[in-house]
Amino acid sequence: MAETQGKVITCKAAVAWGPKEPLVIQEICVDPPQKMEVRLKILYSSICHTDLGFWNGTNEAERAFPRILGHEAVGIVESVGEGVKDVKEGDYVIPTFNGECGECRVCTKEESNLCEKYQVDPMKRVMVNDGGTRFSTTTTKDGGSSQSQRIYHFLNTSTFTEYTVLDSACVVKINHNAPLKQMSLLSCGVSTGVGAAWNSAKVKEGTTTAVFGLGSVGLAVAEGARARGASRIIGVDANASKFEKSKLMGVTDFVNPKDLTKPVHQMIREITGGGVDYSFECTGNVDVLREAFLSTHAGWGSTVLVGIYPTPRTLPLHPMELFEGRKIAGSVFGGFKPKSQLPNFAQQCMEGVVKLDPFITNELPFEKINDAFQLLRDGKSLRCILQIAKFLKR
Ligand code: NAD
Ligand code: ZN
Ligand code: ZN
């Protein structure tokens, strides 16, 4: 049994104190897990655009400070709370921002992965059990002394800390021999993208696809479409430096909207004889969403919306445009039910069905987390893996 079990742990975390303020690496206290909660030691975490979005704090829903961001990680179970049966101390696990209780009306149906109790909720910042937080400060952001202050949770996970507490519904056990850095990618970006292609669009062999936004999420869509045998994958990005890497994920054609004198959808319709079978919006820009929608073939085209949209603007479509037979739907966590489907997906990745290594473009120590944020903001990284807590080699 861990000697820390049942005790408060003091450890290092990167705390967000305000919109766009550099994260502060400081000492915090992490309470023991309560009923049906799990405390993890975070080994590796990477940064997803959604972390950037909440750090920017563009809208009210995103602003809750001080807060520990981070949701793409891999960790080891330090201790479990009362009633937790499916993971135990020492298990390697992936935290998931979209949980699965296994019992609600949604979890007991195949159709959706949006668990009634633990589905991703951008407004949620405290634990379900008691409405409290398991994190608190020991110092001010400048290292001065102050009364302890609570630190908010983020997306059911909060992984920019050496220790975190999650609901057990948001913890997925993985194979003890799984490559840990690579597995952290399944915690969000790669599962979201590959799942959008496999589970949401159900991409078929020989079909055509357009992916808007070639960050990790969009490239994971491309990788998923490639693995399903798509014959043509058109990558659209305003940053031309993304094109070279995307060839590894099966992208066959590249479109930079900045180089065009006509709308992207017009170009795509021209080169595909009417439009693609599937399009995916992975930038979080509503104007791009409209282009993605219009890029598919009338009659059967299907658009999957993956980006997160901080703007209050609504869908830029006229209802009559839906009579042209194009479909549109959103996809959260790639439609994967985390506990019941992720272990099998992780196994498929280990067998090489989906390649994970190309997504890791940078590695930095935890202390350099602000540099890692900057790399993603500048479009210079796909995923930068941060080593969070030191651990003994397996
Ligand atoms: P990223 O920043 O790495 O990639 C975004 C890409 O979009 C970049 O390559 C950028 O150059 C490109 N881009 C931005 N604006 C563009 C424009 N106007 N035209 C063309 N290209 C443009 O981000 P990521 O981590 O890959 O995440 C992508 C999106 O997916 C984000 O909005 C993120 O919040 C969202 N997301 C959604 C889910 C989900 O479950 N639905 C999960 C994870 C991430
Ligand atoms: Zn994410
Ligand atoms: Zn449920």
Side-chain angles (χ1 to χ4, degrees), residues 47-54 71-72 97-98 120 188-190 192-193 212-219 236-240 242 255-257 264 281-285 287-288 305-310 330-335 376-377 379 381-383:
I47 301 164
C48 164
H49 200 103
T50 310
D51 297 309
L52 271 188
F54 279 76
H71 62 285
E72 197 176 279
F97 64 87
N98 188 53
V120 63
C188 178
V190 168
T192 296
F212 290 72
L214 302 177
S216 280
V217 173
L219 288 179
V236 182
D237 204 296
N239 177 351
K242 301 281 175 156
V255 177
N256 185 341
V264 177
E281 202 299 310
C282 310
T283 73
N285 178 313
D287 296 318
V288 176
L305 181 165
V306 185
I308 303 287
Y309 306 83
S331 173
V332 172
F333 196 54
L376 189 65
R377 288 169 77 200
S381 70
L382 290 177
R383 286 300 187 252

Side-chain angles (χ1 to χ4, degrees), residues 11 20 57 75 111 144 147 162 203 224 272 290 298 310 313 339 354 365 370 386:
C11 69
K20 298 189 176 70
E111 283 74 7
Q147 275 194 334
E162 291 177 316
V203 170
T272 55
R290 177 165 176 80
R313 284 172 60 197
K339 276 192 189 272
V354 164
N370 288 304
L386 299 163

